[in-house]
Amino acid sequence: MSGNVRLLSDTLAAAKAEGRSALIAYLPAGFPTVDGGIEAVKAALEGGADVVEVGLPHSDPVLDGPVIQTADDIALRGGVRIADVMRTVREAHEATGKPILVMTYWNPIDRYGVERFTAELAEAGGAGCILPDLPVQESALWREHAEKHGLATVFVVAPSSKDERLAEITAAGSGFVYAASLMGVTGTRESVSSQAEDLVRRTRATTDIPVCVGLGVSNPAQAAEVARFADGVIVGSAFVKRMLDAPDDAAGVEAVRALAGELAEGVRGQV
């Protein structure tokens, strides 16, 4: 069974052909429950997201701020397992036909087994993985299995990345490059870092694959701002916060759907 790296690439290319950035949403699996998380992912895609990153909840999510850490804690206390992450990917992809990635730290994959993880993700219809803490120079085993199973390997670059390092990272990656807009953790912010545009420019000088920006984008105006210079706009904490603030799970799902619609207008310059 081959994964959906081609679907991911085609989706990003189709957005570019429309003269806009792609909207990429992030939501953790198992939050607020496994079933509720699946409904939230489907709502984000139905509401206007082109791609979703499904987070694999982790006890020490070093890239993630307090909002996503809170959601991860709820999911972990609820007993979420990797099988539930795979089920989330499968059901969301089957329902929408859109590309779904998993965002995960390396330790859970290492413990689960790289071959087992990549085979199951491909079988579930996944498009690939975002691996924020896997150094490129230690990624050969992962990339071998990901390529064999038709999965994208998305690495994270940061404003501190030197040009030589950017070239090394982008040469090893596939699908897209995740450009962290600032040095810090995920979270909603008043403004998007001014470093983001420069990072996109420097990253694009090293690669032809799309460069998508995350960290700090939380509303349609910010999405429109980033969409001017990035191939994709990644939003996570704002979706999770809508669910945390909702009075019940059903309202949380509808809040995700509504935010996806608002952000979709943002990346299309309709705000």
Side-chain angles (χ1 to χ4, degrees), residues 182-199:
L182 44 76
M183 301 301 295
V185 296
T186 60
T188 61
R189 290 177 172 82
E190 294 299 316
S191 62
V192 178
S193 168
S194 60
Q195 299 172 306
E197 188 167 3
D198 180 63
L199 177 58

Side-chain angles (χ1 to χ4, degrees), residues 1-231:
M1 178 78 179
S2 182
N4 274 312
V5 63
R6 174 58 66 86
L7 176 62
L8 175 63
S9 297
D10 288 349
T11 299
L12 294 170
K16 185 175 182 179
E18 292 176 17
R20 66 173 179 88
S21 282
L23 174 60
I24 302 174
Y26 166 93
L27 287 160
F31 168 71
T33 61
V34 174
D35 288 343
I38 292 169
E39 291 307 308
V41 172
K42 291 195 292 189
L45 291 163
E46 291 161 0
D50 299 290
V51 180
V52 164
E53 305 169 6
V54 171
L56 194 162
H58 194 269
S59 57
D60 185 25
V62 293
L63 186 69
D64 295 307
V67 170
I68 291 174
Q69 286 188 26
T70 297
D72 277 5
D73 184 55
I74 291 168
L76 290 168
R77 283 191 283 112
V80 70
R81 295 289 183 264
I82 287 178
D84 300 314
V85 177
M86 299 298 180
R87 181 185 154 212
T88 301
V89 171
R90 176 183 293 105
E91 294 193 15
H93 174 64
E94 287 178 352
T96 65
K98 292 186 177 182
I100 317 287
L101 299 115
V102 169
M103 185 165 185
T104 179
Y105 298 96
W106 180 245
N107 181 259
I109 295 177
D110 192 40
R111 289 179 63 93
Y112 198 70
V114 177
E115 169 60 22
R116 180 184 178 195
F117 189 94
T118 51
E120 289 184 8
L121 182 56
E123 191 276 328
C129 253
I130 302 163
L131 300 159
D133 67 343
L134 177 63
V136 170
Q137 61 270 28
E138 297 175 21
S139 67
L141 177 66
W142 164 266
R143 287 187 286 125
E144 174 191 341
H145 288 288
E147 188 171 346
K148 179 173 78 171
H149 289 291
L151 299 169
T153 298
V154 178
F155 289 114
V156 179
V157 298
S160 61
S161 302
K162 305 297 185 187
D163 291 350
E164 182 180 339
R165 178 69 173 159
L166 288 176
E168 182 183 6
I169 293 170
T170 58
S174 56
F176 64 90
V177 182
Y178 188 126
S181 67
L182 44 76
M183 301 301 295
V185 296
T186 60
T188 61
R189 290 177 172 82
E190 294 299 316
S191 62
V192 178
S193 168
S194 60
Q195 299 172 306
E197 188 167 3
D198 180 63
L199 177 58
V200 170
R201 178 188 58 76
R202 293 193 298 117
T203 305
R204 277 199 179 130
T206 71
T207 184
D208 292 329
I209 66 173
V211 182
C212 304
V213 170
L215 272 66
V217 180
S218 61
N219 60 50
Q222 291 173 342
E225 180 186 348
V226 172
R228 288 190 300 100
F229 57 83
D231 298 300

